[in-house]
């Protein structure tokens, strides 16, 4: 009689871990509050993102934990935080890509609301108003029969690429210059100017843009540290935009009246 065939070893179940999530907690509104790390232990599940982990903690362990989210899909930019020293979007960060111990802190530079929640919106709005990040059209009579002028697909694609920024603030939080100059517009601000510089509907010229970013709070303050480029969750080519603007602004500084006017 033959011996029974060996039973194949079961396919190993995916490794389950207990994550230790240390959150830097602080309430700037409470006079007695002191910044301190608080540890939460959590069973990891397949496909878990940091956003899911934090929700789990808030629902089952600590309803006082503060953090922001809206879309859960990397679109609204509100869940940015520092994850093991690097700014990231919590909803786009899988726990399986992280070690067993995860340290979370709020983005630096922006006003702290509490724990992991920061007010990036206030800073983004101030920067947008300062840089006038809207199309400045030539004044003309309203003509409701007018069809918007055609734009070459390549140009529309280039503008769309610049519009993919979700204003998460990761680039500013990672930038050493922003720590030194509180009015620095950051890679996000320069990206917005690059966007309007490309857009033929915007009637501003290089001289106008020079007024906005041709100083130490704009392209000449940037020290090419490139942390912005490394951490942008949308993988935007920030380095290329900044180099493009710097060339334009240097030309403008050298010859403010290139047409001879
Ligand atoms: Fe976030 Fe990138 Fe936009 Fe900076 S440029 S705010 S990192 S999406
Ligand atoms: Fe900062 Fe990026 Fe310039 S990190 S210094 S804005 S290249
Ligand atoms: Fe919107 Fe993460 S929740 S980007």
């Amino acid at each position: 009689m033959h011996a029974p065939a060996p039973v194949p070893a079961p396919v190993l179940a995916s490794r389950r871990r207990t994550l230790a999530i240390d959150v830097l907690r602080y309430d700037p509104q409470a006079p007695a509050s002191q910044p301190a790390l608080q540890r939460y232990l959590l069973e990891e599940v397949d496909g878990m993102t940091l956003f899911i982990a934090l929700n789990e903690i808030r629902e089952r362990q600590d309803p006082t934990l503060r953090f922001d989210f809206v879309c859960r899909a990397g679109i609204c930019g509100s869940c940015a935080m520092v994850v093991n020293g690097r700014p990231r979007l919590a909803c786009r960060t899988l726990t399986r890509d992280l070690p067993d111990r995860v340290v979370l802190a709020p983005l630096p530079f922006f006003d702290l609301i509490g724990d992991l929640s920061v007010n990036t919106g206030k800073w983004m709005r101030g920067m947008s108003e300062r840089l006038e990040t809207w199309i400045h059209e030539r004044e003309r009579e309203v003509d409701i029969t007018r069809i918007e002028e055609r734009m070459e697909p390549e140009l529309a694609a280039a503008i769309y690429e610049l519009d993919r920024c979700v204003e998460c603030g990761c680039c500013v939080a990672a930038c050493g210059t922003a720590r030194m100059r509180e009015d620095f517009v950051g890679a996000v601000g320069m990206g917005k100017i690059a966007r309007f510089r490309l857009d033929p509907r915007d009637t501003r010229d290089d001289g106008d843009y020079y007024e906005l970013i041709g100083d130490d709070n704009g392209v000449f303050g940037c020290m090419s540290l490139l942390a912005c480029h490394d951490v942008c969750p949308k993988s935007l080519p920030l380095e290329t935009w900044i180099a493009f603007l710097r060339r334009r602004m240097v030309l403008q500084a050298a010859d403010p009246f290139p047409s001879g006017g």
Side-chain angles (χ1 to χ4, degrees), residues 67-207:
F67 59 94
D68 299 316
F69 72 93
V70 179
C71 71
R72 304 172 226 176
I75 296 168
C76 71
S78 61
C79 66
M81 59 187 65
V82 178
V83 181
N84 287 352
R86 183 187 178 94
R88 289 173 180 271
L89 295 181
C91 72
R92 306 302 291 166
T93 302
L94 290 164
T95 56
R96 70 165 180 244
D97 296 333
L98 300 171
D100 297 351
R101 180 178 179 234
V102 183
V103 181
L104 302 180
L107 286 188
F109 185 80
F110 301 100
D111 288 352
L112 178 67
I113 295 170
D115 301 334
L116 301 171
S117 173
V118 292
N119 194 344
T120 46
K122 179 180 162 200
W123 187 87
M124 290 292 169
R125 182 178 177 131
M127 176 274 293
S128 293
E129 287 176 350
R130 192 149 53 98
L131 300 185
E132 301 185 10
T133 58
W134 53 86
I135 288 181
H136 289 52
E137 265 202 299
R138 212 170 288 115
E139 283 199 13
R140 52 187 159 191
E141 288 189 15
V142 176
D143 176 1
I144 56 169
T145 64
R146 185 180 137 248
I147 299 171
E148 198 167 86
E149 280 152 36
R150 187 175 178 279
M151 189 184 286
E152 290 304 322
E154 295 77 18
L155 180 56
I159 293 171
Y160 172 73
E161 176 72 359
L162 288 152
D163 272 338
R164 286 200 304 114
C165 169
V166 294
E167 299 191 353
C168 63
C170 288
C171 56
V172 183
C175 173
T177 305
R179 305 285 178 88
M180 293 186 288
R181 300 181 193 282
E182 65 174 308
D183 289 330
F184 185 56
V185 301
V188 55
M190 289 186 269
K192 287 187 182 297
I193 289 296
R195 182 243 179 274
F196 289 100
R197 171 70 184 68
L198 279 185
D199 195 322
R201 295 166 296 181
D202 194 300
T203 54
R204 287 177 288 181
D205 59 20
D206 278 346

Side-chain angles (χ1 to χ4, degrees), residues 26-42:
Y26 177 57
D27 181 355
Q29 306 301 325
S33 177
Q34 293 288 334
L37 285 179
Q38 181 164 349
R39 172 160 293 189
Y40 301 96
L41 298 176
L42 190 69

